[in-house]
Amino acid sequence: MKNDIIFNLIKVHQRIESACRIAGRNPEDVQLLLATKTVPAEQIRIAIEAGETLMGENKMQELRDKNDVLKSLPVERHFIGHLQTNKVKDVLKYVTCIQSLDRINLADELHKQLQNQNRKLDVFVQVNTSYEESKFGLAPENVLSFIKKIKTYETLNIKGLMSIGLLDVEKEKMIPSLRLLRTIRDEIYSEGIEGLQDLKLSMGMSQDLELAIAEGSNMVRIGTSIFGNRFLGKEIWNENIAE
């Protein structure tokens, strides 16, 4: 298992570097985030000890259950799944970034809890660029107004935009939803909003990381290509599937 994970990490980094080279980008501008939904803590430890420093969880319970193994390791933990407001207080015990901010009541609850803790938190705004019912996230046309609202929350540091692109066997069908996230970011830039001129794009998974990098992704969230297929036929990107 250890050798498999390390080998897979090498292959993924090679894919990232190759995609950057083809796109004329610096590989240092693209981070690898370990997508660790259902991955046992000991397997995550192998990847961290191999040099990975960034991971993302989809469920609060997994953050809690894996904490004893991971808390002393040099890894930054993000929350990348749909976050219910009643789980905010617990999730904040473990993460430094929420990548799935997609509604005002969630921003309100984050702001309240962060005020109580006298701290700030990095956030990405999640956008449903593929307009699929199986995915959470803001409608693309609502992102700019949402960004302007949450910009007033002094506890939230807006770091970028996150999306799960359309996954299809035909690459031509996958590109528009990835390109749309970059377009939205550029629209935000055109507004000249103070502090929002260096937004990162978190998009791209095992199936589409090359396409995402070509469209400007700064962070790819990779699970299956590193840890294997853990879902036995389930669709990892269908956020409405109960675990």
Side-chain angles (χ1 to χ4, degrees), residues 4 18 20 42-43 71 89 117 123 126 133 136 165 172 178 180-181:
D4 289 342
S18 176
C20 286
E42 290 300 334
Q43 292 185 26
K71 62 184 178 182
K89 186 175 181 179
Q117 298 175 26
V123 296
Q126 183 174 359
E133 292 183 2
F136 292 101
E172 292 75 15
L178 299 168
L180 180 55
L181 196 69

Side-chain angles (χ1 to χ4, degrees), residues 1 5 8 33-41 43-44 55-58 62 66 80 205-207 221-237 241 243:
M1 178 63 68
I5 291 173
N8 290 342
L33 179 143
L34 306 172
T36 54
K37 183 178 181 180
T38 77
V39 178
Q43 292 185 26
I44 302 170
M55 61 171 282
E57 285 287 2
N58 292 69
E62 289 199 57
K66 299 173 188 178
I80 59 176
M205 301 189 296
S206 293
Q207 301 94 323
R221 309 182 304 274
I222 309 299
T224 300
S225 291
I226 297 170
F227 301 106
N229 189 351
R230 297 94 65 203
F231 298 95
L232 300 178
K234 290 182 180 180
E235 298 170 287
I236 182 173
W237 49 266
I241 292 176
E243 289 300 325

Side-chain angles (χ1 to χ4, degrees), residues 132-185:
E132 293 175 274
E133 292 183 2
S134 59
K135 298 172 184 174
F136 292 101
L138 286 161
E141 57 269 22
N142 296 332
V143 174
L144 182 57
S145 60
F146 182 78
I147 286 275
K148 289 179 177 179
K149 289 179 183 178
I150 65 170
K151 184 69 172 61
T152 65
Y153 292 71
E154 68 272 12
T155 59
L156 302 179
N157 298 321
I158 305 172
K159 303 299 288 186
L161 307 175
M162 184 270 268
S163 72
I164 303 170
L166 176 69
L167 300 180
D168 196 280
V169 294
E170 297 182 36
K171 291 184 178 180
E172 292 75 15
K173 293 182 179 180
M174 298 165 69
I175 292 173
S177 61
L178 299 168
R179 185 168 295 166
L180 180 55
L181 196 69
R182 183 180 64 180
T183 299
I184 294 168
R185 182 191 62 183

